[in-house]
Amino acid sequence: MREIEEYQGRILASEEEIRAMTAELGARITNDYKGKELLLIGVLKGGFIFMADLVRQIHLPVTVDFIAVSSYGSSTKTSGVVRLVKDVDVPLAGKHVIIVEDIIDTGLTLTHLKELFKTRNPLSVKICTAFDKPSRRKVDLKAEYTGITVPDEYVIGYGLDYDGVMRNLPQLYVLNENILKD
Ligand code: PRP
């Protein structure tokens, strides 16, 4: 069993930077969605921490729901076809939707989710992501609300895992290179 410190490489985003990022995005969303019916949809598992912070910075009567997605085997990462393991419990019709993610990598997951949600007649579908790795993009996808851009490295913490652990780190770290050597 490893110690938590053994997983941590250098810090990419401190707690202070993350706090400033969620406050700024929350303020922008509050301003953009005044008087509109807003539904935030978090993508499990990684999105749960960002959702919890973001929603407290949005000063509007929002609805919150979550989805869980899973890949159809190894081809999914390249095809972007995802299976909904858990769907939202509410209809999207007549609502403005923001999908809340921890990170965009190739962009395939969110491209698929956006298309899927659009078939349910919402008034709009936008994306809010805490972190973005634009250098990894395979499709032309941009989030309307982006927090911190990160380099193409294995990142952990603030919802992002390595082998299921480290989601609970309050800052964003590069995975320690020694972990991958073992
Ligand atoms: C991560 C992240 C996004 C997706 C982004 O989820 O939370 O959902 O990958 O990658 P993409 O842009 O290349 O599609 P992951 O599959 O690691 O699941 P998790 O959130 O449960 O850890």
Side-chain angles (χ1 to χ4, degrees):
M1 189 85 166
R2 292 187 176 104
E3 299 292 329
I4 201 165
E5 291 78 14
E6 293 177 59
Y7 291 87
Q8 300 169 359
R10 71 180 197 282
I11 292 180
L12 281 183
S14 67
E15 280 188 82
E16 205 181 323
E17 286 167 317
I18 290 172
R19 234 189 331 270
M21 176 266 284
T22 55
E24 194 203 316
L25 291 176
R28 278 181 55 202
I29 291 170
T30 301
N31 191 49
D32 293 351
Y33 287 85
K34 237 171 222 136
K36 295 178 175 165
E37 203 168 327
L38 176 59
L39 167 64
L40 299 176
I41 301 178
V43 185
L44 297 172
K45 296 172 184 163
F48 80 105
I49 289 183
F50 179 46
M51 173 68 101
D53 282 348
L54 180 70
V55 78
R56 284 176 286 179
Q57 300 295 333
I58 298 175
H59 305 293
L60 298 171
V62 296
T63 314
V64 176
D65 210 330
F66 289 92
I67 55 165
V69 294
S70 144
S71 348
Y72 284 112
S74 58
S75 65
T76 308
K77 276 283 166 194
T78 45
S79 69
V81 177
V82 293
R83 184 170 62 92
L84 277 189
V85 176
K86 183 222 169 294
D87 204 340
V88 290
D89 302 325
V90 293
L92 307 193
K95 290 180 189 137
H96 292 278
V97 171
I98 299 180
I99 308 172
V100 178
E101 260 288 20
D102 53 351
I103 195 161
I104 307 178
D105 195 67
T106 63
L108 291 167
T109 304
L110 277 170
T111 298
H112 178 78
L113 286 177
K114 211 171 168 179
E115 287 312 307
L116 175 74
F117 289 154
K118 277 185 182 168
T119 65
R120 299 180 184 183
N121 301 318
L123 294 173
S124 65
V125 183
K126 294 193 173 169
I127 295 168
C128 180
T129 188
F131 306 113
D132 191 9
K133 257 189 205 173
S135 56
R136 292 265 305 161
R137 214 60 108 247
K138 286 192 177 152
V139 284
D140 183 21
L141 177 93
K142 268 201 194 90
E144 286 78 9
Y145 302 95
T146 300
I148 296 168
T149 299
V150 297
D152 183 14
E153 294 188 79
Y154 202 120
V155 288
I156 54 165
Y158 201 70
L160 292 145
D161 74 305
Y162 169 71
D163 206 13
V165 294
M166 298 299 119
R167 295 189 197 275
N168 53 317
L169 296 175
Q171 327 197 74
L172 187 76
Y173 294 85
V174 173
L175 179 69
N176 192 304
E177 57 189 21
N178 296 325
I179 296 287
L180 295 172
K181 283 183 195 149
D182 294 348

